[in-house]
C-alpha cells in the first residue's frame, strides 16, 4: 500500500482564539482538497498551542526560589526554568543549558517541550507551552472535521523532539484521535509461523516522524499535512496510552 | 512537496549470498518500476543481514563465563547473551529479560538488535545479527543501483527499535548512503527572523520511521520501499554521524 504525505500549503498564520478546524475546513474547500476515508490530519503542536492561548509573556513569570537555584546550576533563564518546572512532574537529568524532564503529559524530553522559535515575542521575550490536553484537542478537531466532511479521518498532533543517544530531532505524536496509536501484533505470527511475542508497532510516532519532516521545522509555513494510505484505524486510543509505565522505565 | 512511500511488492525471500542489488534491479525492471532522481531506496536490515550471512546457528555459540553469569541474572539464553556481548561495547541497563546495550555501531537499544523473528531456525534455534557495516552495505547497493539506472538515488537501511519512555517500536536508520542524514539548520532563521540555534533535523530516522511502517514488521513480505519526494540530498553523511558523542550523552 502506498502512503502519501500531502502538505496543505497557503494556510494563514494561526493566532490565539482562531477556530483552527473551521479555518482548515474553509481552506481545504477553497483549494478543492478532498479528504478521503482513512486520511490522517497531522497538525503541528505549535499551531494548536497558539490558538489555545499557550503563549506566555516572560515578564509575567515570577520564578520560584527552586527555579532560581536550578537556573543558576544549568545557566538558563529563571523564568523559562519556572515554566519548565510548572509543566513537568520530574527532572530526569540536568546539565548546562539542558533540563531533561518528564512532562506532565508523560513525555520525557528537553525543556518540557517549551519552545521559543516561530512565535511572536513580546519585549521581554515569550515562550510557547504544549497544549493543556493535546489528546482532547485532537478529538475536538477530529469531531469537527469528521462531521463537516462525513469522512472517517484521524487527527494527529505532532511535536519535534530530541532523543537520547541520537543527534537530530524527529517528530513524535503528542495527541491523537480516531486512529491506531499502538498496533499490537502480539499473538500473531511471523513469515515462518513463529509466534510474535513483543511486536507492538507505534504507528502514531512513525507517522508523526514523516509528517513532521514534510512540515519542515523552520520557515516552511506548513503546519498541517494529510497522511493518506496509512489507514487511520479509527480506534479510541490516545497518545497517553503510549507512555511506558513508570515501573517499566529503565531510565529513572 | 508531496512525499510518497511506494512499497516494492513481490520480491523473493532473500538468502545468504544473494545479490540483493541485482535481484532488486531485475525485479524493478520486470515490474516496470522506474526510479527517479531523489528517490531513496529504503531496505530492511533483516534482508541485508541475511544476504551478508549474519544468521548464526545457536548450537555453534559457546557462552563465556561472563555471558553465563549475566544470562542467569536477566533470565535469558546464555548463547543469545554471548552474541549480545560480542556485538556491543557497553551494557547500559539490565533487567529481567532485557539487556539495553550500546551496539558496536553506536546505537543504543535492546539486545544489540539481535532478532529471532522472520528467520529460518535450525534445530537449536538461530539469531540474526546486524550487518557488519551497514553504512558500507548501503554505499555498495547505492553504487550498484545508481550506475545501473543512471539515477541520483540514496539508500537507507532501516531497523525497528524500542525506545526509552515510549511504548511500541519505530523504524530508525542504521545505514545510509548518498542522502542527507542530519539536516543542519543552525544559522538559518525562523518565520519571525529569529536565528535558529539548535535545529538539526534527523532526516534519516524520520524517513526510516515511515518506511518501516510501510514495510510492516510481521508477515507483509515488503522488505524494500521507495521514498519519493523527500529528496535524497546526495551527501556523504553516514548514519555513524548521527550517534551522539559519548561526552554529550546524558544517560550514561
Amino acid at each position: 500500500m502506498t502512503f502519501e504525505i500531502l502538505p496543505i500549503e497557503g494556510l494563514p498564520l494561526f493566532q490565539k482564539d482562531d477556530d483552527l478546524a473551521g479555518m482548515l475546513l474553509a481552506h481545504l474547500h477553497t483549494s478543492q482538497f478532498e479528504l478521503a476515508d482513512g486520511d490522517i490530519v497531522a497538525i503541528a503542536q505549535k499551531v494548536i498551542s497558539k490558538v489555545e492561548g499557550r503563549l506566555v509573556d516572560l515578564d509575567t513569570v515570577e520564578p520560584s526560589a527552586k527555579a532560581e537555584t536550578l537556573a543558576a546550576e544549568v545557566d538558563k533563564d529563571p523564568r523559562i526554568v519556572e515554566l519548565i518546572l510548572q509543566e513537568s512532574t520530574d527532572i530526569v537529568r540536568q546539565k548546562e543549558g539542558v533540563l531533561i524532564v518528564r512532562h506532565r503529559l508523560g513525555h520525557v524530553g528537553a525543556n518540557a517541550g517549551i519552545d521559543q522559535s516561530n512565535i511572536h515575542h513580546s519585549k521581554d521575550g515569550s515562550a510557547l507551552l504544549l497544549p493543556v490536553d493535546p489528546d482532547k484537542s485532537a478529538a475536538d478537531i477530529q469531531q469537527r472535521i469528521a462531521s463537516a466532511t462525513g469522512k472517517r479521518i484521524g487527527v494527529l498532533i505532532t511535536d519535534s523532539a530530541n532523543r537520547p543517544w541520537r543527534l537530530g530531532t524527529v517528530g513524535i505524536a503528542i495527541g491523537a484521535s480516531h486512529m491506531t496509536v499502538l498496533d499490537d501484533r502480539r499473538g500473531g505470527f511471523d513469515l515462518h509461523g513463529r509466534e510474535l511475542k513483543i511486536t507492538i508497532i507505534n504507528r502514531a510516532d512513525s507517522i508523526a516522524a514523516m509528517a513532521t519532516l514534510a512540515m519542515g521545522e523552520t520557515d516552511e509555513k506548513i503546519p498541517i499535512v494529510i497522511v493518506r494510505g496509512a489507514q487511520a484505524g479509527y480506534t479510541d486510543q490516545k497518545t497517553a496510552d503510549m507512555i511506558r509505565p513508570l515501573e517499566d522505565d529503565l531510565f529513572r
Side-chain angles (χ1 to χ4, degrees), chain A residues 113-171:
Chain A
I114 293 173
D115 196 350
Q116 297 190 275
S117 68
N118 280 327
I119 58 175
H120 177 77
H121 286 275
S122 69
K123 183 170 60 64
D124 289 320
S126 307
L128 191 66
L129 312 184
L130 295 192
V132 173
D133 183 351
D135 278 321
K136 181 174 184 307
S137 306
D140 290 347
I141 294 169
Q142 194 281 336
Q143 197 164 34
R144 290 279 307 281
I145 297 175
S147 68
T149 62
K151 302 293 184 190
R152 289 170 70 91
I153 57 118
V155 168
L156 181 67
I157 298 175
T158 65
D159 196 6
S160 68
N162 280 291
R163 302 159 299 167
W165 309 308
R166 295 173 88 77
L167 296 171
T169 57
V170 294

Side-chain angles (χ1 to χ4, degrees), chain A residues 58-77:
Chain A
L58 290 181
D59 63 7
T60 67
V61 178
E62 193 67 55
S64 65
K66 183 179 176 190
E68 292 279 9
T69 306
L70 189 54
E73 282 171 24
V74 297
D75 192 21
K76 285 180 83 75
D77 184 329

Side-chain angles (χ1 to χ4, degrees), chain A residues 95-216:
Chain A
K95 195 176 169 178
E96 188 167 336
V98 187
L99 285 170
I100 309 283
V101 299
R102 183 176 294 273
H103 190 274
R104 59 180 169 73
L105 294 171
H107 313 287
V108 175
N111 306 326
I114 293 173
D115 196 350
Q116 297 190 275
S117 68
N118 280 327
I119 58 175
H120 177 77
H121 286 275
S122 69
K123 183 170 60 64
D124 289 320
S126 307
L128 191 66
L129 312 184
L130 295 192
V132 173
D133 183 351
D135 278 321
K136 181 174 184 307
S137 306
D140 290 347
I141 294 169
Q142 194 281 336
Q143 197 164 34
R144 290 279 307 281
I145 297 175
S147 68
T149 62
K151 302 293 184 190
R152 289 170 70 91
I153 57 118
V155 168
L156 181 67
I157 298 175
T158 65
D159 196 6
S160 68
N162 280 291
R163 302 159 299 167
W165 309 308
R166 295 173 88 77
L167 296 171
T169 57
V170 294
I172 59 169
I174 65 161
S177 178
H178 285 81
M179 57 174 285
T180 303
V181 171
L182 294 176
D183 184 4
D184 191 344
R185 302 290 188 93
R186 288 174 298 183
F189 295 91
D190 75 7
L191 272 174
H192 296 273
R194 191 179 169 91
E195 190 177 344
L196 298 163
K197 295 205 171 61
I198 52 164
T199 305
I200 302 178
I201 300 169
N202 192 315
R203 295 181 64 84
D205 276 346
S206 302
I207 293 168
M210 195 76 187
T212 302
L213 191 64
M215 289 171 187

